[in-house]
Amino acid sequence: MIDEAAIREIVARLSRPIASGAHTIERAAILAEGSDCAEIEAWIVREGGEPHVEGAGPPGRGLHADRATARSAPGGAAPSRYVLPASVLG
């Protein structure tokens, strides 16, 4: 079990600021931290972090829209990154 202070330190080290003032953290970087990755992801979500899935966007239109959407964002896909509110690491 990892404590909250250690998680906050890991998240601060791995995250990068974005133009909006928020921070982004790649899921691959979290996974590279080892066995505590599930606790880190849970902490991020509890703190208001929003998961982002690559390829997920508004549904398409037209004859092949359903097939293209299914290929680019499969159901239950893991997020590729999280975006944290600016206040979390403030």
Side-chain angles (χ1 to χ4, degrees), residues 1-3 7 30 35-46:
M1 183 108 196
I2 185 171
D3 68 358
I7 292 174
I30 298 167
S35 63
D36 296 323
C37 61
E39 291 178 72
I40 295 168
E41 286 185 280
W43 183 88
I44 290 169
V45 171
R46 277 195 314 272

Side-chain angles (χ1 to χ4, degrees), residues 16-32:
R16 302 289 175 253
I18 56 176
S20 68
H23 291 81
T24 185
I25 183 168
E26 298 294 323
R27 185 167 187 264
I30 298 167
L31 295 176

Side-chain angles (χ1 to χ4, degrees), residues 45-60:
V45 171
R46 277 195 314 272
E47 293 294 320
E50 302 241 351
H52 287 259
V53 177
E54 284 298 315

Side-chain angles (χ1 to χ4, degrees), residues 54-85:
E54 284 298 315
R61 297 170 84 162
L63 181 62
H64 301 290
D66 290 338
R67 286 182 25 192
T69 302
R71 188 172 50 246
S72 64
S80 59
R81 72 182 53 87
Y82 293 90
V83 176
L84 294 138

